[in-house]
Amino acid sequence: MNEPTLRGGLREEWVADGYGVRVPVGRERECALLDGLLDSLPDRGAALLLRGDPGIGKTNMLDYVAWRAHGRNLPERGGGAGAVRAQPERWIESEPVRARPACGAASQAIRVLRTRGVESEAVLPYTVLADLLLPLRSHFAELPSTQRRALETCFALMEADEPNPYAVCVGTLGVLAAAGEAEPLVLLVDDLHWSDPSSRRALQFVARRLATERVALVMAARPASDDDVTWEDVPRLTIAPLEEDDCLRLLERGGVDPEEPAVTRLVRLSSGNPLVLVEYAAALEDARKRGDELADTAWEMPGPMVERAWWGRMRNLSPDTRTALLYVAACRVPELALLERALAVNGLSLGTLDEAEESGLIRAREHGYELRHPVLRPLVFRHCSVAQRLRAYRTLADLSAGEVRTWYLASAAAGPDETVASALADAAERSRRRGALGAAAHAWHRAAELSPSAADRAERLLNAARDAFYGGASRDAVDWCEQALRWSEDVRLTADIELLRGQACGWLGDPGRAHRSLVAAAEAVEPVDRFRACALYGAATLPATMDGRIGRAVDTSARSAALADLLEDEAGAESSARSSRHLSNVMRGCALALAGKVPEGRGLLLAGRAALHGNWPLEEQQLAVQIGQALSWVDEREAATAVLDAVIDGARRDGVPALLPYALVGRCEAMSWSRWPMARAAGAEALRWAQELGHRAMTGYALLLLARLDGLRGDRAGCEDRITAYERHCGKVRGLELFAQAALGSAALTGGEPQAAAGHLERALSLADEMGLGNPNLMPFLTELAEAYVRTGERDSAVRLAGWIEGLARSTGLAWPAAAHAHCRIMLSGSADEAEGWLRTAERVHVREEMTFELARTQLVCGELLRRFRRPKAARGLLLASQLAFAGLGASSWRSRAAVELAAAGHRAADTRAPEPRIDRLTAQELQVALAVGDGLSNGEAAAALFVSRKTVEAHLTRVYRKLGVRSRSELAGYLVHADVVR
């Protein structure tokens, strides 16, 4: 193969590795990782996000993957890793080919699909996704009808109601899984940062779920500040600058003498960026040919490194060619016919672009011209006048039709224009009906910018924020709400904007700000619209609790309730009055339950539960989640589970997971008292969805619930890892820090470090007091603190704590503080008879509510005391019961402690070995699959319910059968009942 050359004689920076494979200079480690991804493809899939600055070589890495998958030499190109070269076009290469064996792997046909985001097309919904999926349309027939219709609607293949965005995501996964089953599939997406939001969301969803599919997804994008959140659990590889030795190697291969004095300057100026290095070398070579003094630094043009490299080519073009280049940059789609007509309007022709093509600024494709590098578009616009740019857009608009024409007109608008704004609003409505909320949001936002009327601008900004919020872009929603507030002149519209802003701030993990803005908005609108004020006060209640200000939550909910009373007096039985009463009951019930006013809170929550009828709309489902979670705080766990399960089942059935994080966190809380495998499965799924949807507060809470379970099970490292993840995601949220300290304390006590445990748990108790938390059900660590006091010799502190818990039991009437008080008294008992008396009290309380772990701990401490009081026979029964309970929960450290005590009590060693519960061997997702299948769902139905592919269900089910020792679905259902996982 002939060596391709760059201008200035510098050759492509590809070298042969030990296997004769050509790899980019300095990228051997990255290529080895990509080789491993391809080698594993026949058996399993994976996703990888390549991140790096412009010119660093991301596209070259995609070239490498495509070449390895195809088993052929890399195409002749000018440039190397990020250098000026013939970048892969926006094409779909879908024929199956024979892959070159990687490191000795067996040869196998691999299908490659490749596309890239285009900045000018980012406003057009589903463009990137369509490029990837339409070549696989034959597999659409294998999808459930809901998913198939969703995909066909979003690709404008059929007319239907607004598709569910998550049906699109799951349908995408299903198509790729089916295609990968037929033959291994490689998807390559370049310039992901310029893909449309709807496509990017679907790719984020798919990237987390490819482990069981024969699909490799490799994407390239510029780094973003929120990558750690939006790409959580997706492997990411940052393409770093080249080392100095690699820069010298690259220059040497291009014929540049490494000893030349200017080389040091070249390497320094490039900062390890291959594109910049190549272009500076070429600029230096040009200066040499002109006879310039190399000591002169005129060739080192000021400005950003990548831009200055391209500007060196652009500035030498003729005026006509630069005008023609402007039209190439302005075109939203690379259509040759449109470009030719637009140039003709200006007295130019396609031949005018020959100079730009020869300079390497554009390249010809089958359907038109496109710029060779993404940085060129803003550079072209920057170096033309505003009048030229607007004239180009107007010309393109005159020659176009439909939605593309609307966007050209929007770009051509020099100021407010209601005609164009209305057209954009219509486009936003169409995008919304297609489920492309990201595209709809951007259309609404541009429509607002062009709106002459302040009222229209505010209304359209609210629409933009609403679509952004429900599309998962909460940060944009907050920003656009704040813009809308600056234009809103109507107090009612302002109230609606503040309501949305408050919700978005809560999701982003800023509950204090959410509470303040919601209360201020309620106070402003109350004189003119009590209905809106009631809703705002109600919405402000939960952010106050998340911010750790339960007193404020009680006050705010009281204001909502007072307005609901007035609305009932004014409107009687009208639906608006009923909905206000329902909202205020639920919010006030939640606040009172947290404050420790349990009987009053329970009554309001049960009334709220009774008001739920029929098929709940989304607003009712949101309230249902709050009702379900709060009912578990007031010892109504059966009712709580029924409500939460109804929301979860509805979300799975309808394919709308927006409320899943909240409902699953509630289920995790409720199950943590007695059924840890179920709690862990619910918590893990809640965490996954909270991360997927960008719910920062719920991400933190799910992490902390799982951290406590990890700590109590003896996995202290896992507990600490989750606390670290919580701090990384949320910082230290006032309302959540209590649970972080409690989890660390529980882990320390479980690990045999009572002194460390006491420190963390005292801090947790202090935080609970500062918050105004009066409900002991949210402080299950109190008995652990009492035990830490006893084990560190602080008996007086344990006595005081026991007395305080007794007061909580009397004031709240809850079962757990009564059982906890008895537990403390057992630890403080001075005789065997006293300990047994308190044990009987504890057992009577445990009959009221199932609290498996708490009962097992009580049996353990009582057994330990009875053995020390020389009643080994009585001790053995309690210790054996506690050991079996700990084994069922998977609490290995506590089970080991019980086993040691049993041995000391004279029990035979053979009898003290409790079997490892097989259910505890399942991962969280395996348990979710087992539960779905055990409930009678088919593999396809389980896949749809869990938002995964059928193959993922099959793979998990195979492992479930093996781990549990069952051979059929009926045996699995029976096993789950026998293991007390379902009832």
Side-chain angles (χ1 to χ4, degrees), residues 707-726:
R708 173 170 166 80
L709 290 172
D710 286 342
L712 291 174
R713 294 174 68 248
D715 183 6
R716 189 168 183 180
C719 171
E720 292 172 350
D721 286 346
R722 293 195 193 274
I723 299 296
T724 300
Y726 148 72

Side-chain angles (χ1 to χ4, degrees), residues 146 164-167 170 649-658 944 947:
T146 302
N164 182 321
Y166 282 92
V170 180
D649 292 345
R652 298 198 195 287
R653 182 186 61 250
D654 299 335
V656 183
F947 299 88

Side-chain angles (χ1 to χ4, degrees), residues 45 48 758:
L48 179 66

Side-chain angles (χ1 to χ4, degrees), residues 321-354:
T321 300
R322 286 175 63 173
T323 298
L325 191 62
L326 170 62
Y327 278 87
V328 175
C331 280
R332 290 188 171 272
V333 289
E335 293 180 2
L336 197 62
L338 172 63
L339 180 61
E340 187 174 23
R341 293 198 303 272
L343 292 176
V345 170
N346 289 269
L348 305 174
S349 68
L350 292 176
T352 313
L353 289 166
D354 290 347

Side-chain angles (χ1 to χ4, degrees), residues 122-155:
V123 296
L124 304 178
Y126 297 114
T127 51
V128 169
L129 196 63
D131 283 346
L132 294 174
L133 292 192
L134 289 181
L136 305 174
R137 190 177 175 186
S138 61
H139 296 288
F140 284 21
E142 302 176 46
L143 298 176
S145 58
T146 302
Q147 296 171 21
R148 184 178 67 252
R149 283 197 304 272
L151 286 180
E152 290 176 344
T153 301
C154 72
F155 297 148

Side-chain angles (χ1 to χ4, degrees), residues 748-761:
L749 184 68
T750 301
E753 297 182 21
Q755 193 69 52
H760 287 298
L761 297 175

Side-chain angles (χ1 to χ4, degrees), residues 368-383:
Y369 284 103
E370 65 181 12
L371 300 172
R372 289 280 292 275
H373 195 279
V375 78
L376 279 168
R377 187 169 186 266
L379 194 63
V380 169
F381 287 150
R382 191 176 307 140
H383 289 279

Side-chain angles (χ1 to χ4, degrees), residues 3 28 73 78 80 139 142 212 256 312 316 378 404 438 505 549 560 572 645 701 721 748 766 769 859 917 921:
E3 282 288 338
E28 292 80 6
N73 289 331
H139 296 288
E142 302 176 46
T212 60
V256 178
N316 295 321
V404 172
C505 285
R549 304 181 190 280
S560 178
D645 285 352
Y701 194 32
D721 286 346
S766 174
D769 182 60
Q859 292 169 331
R921 302 172 192 170

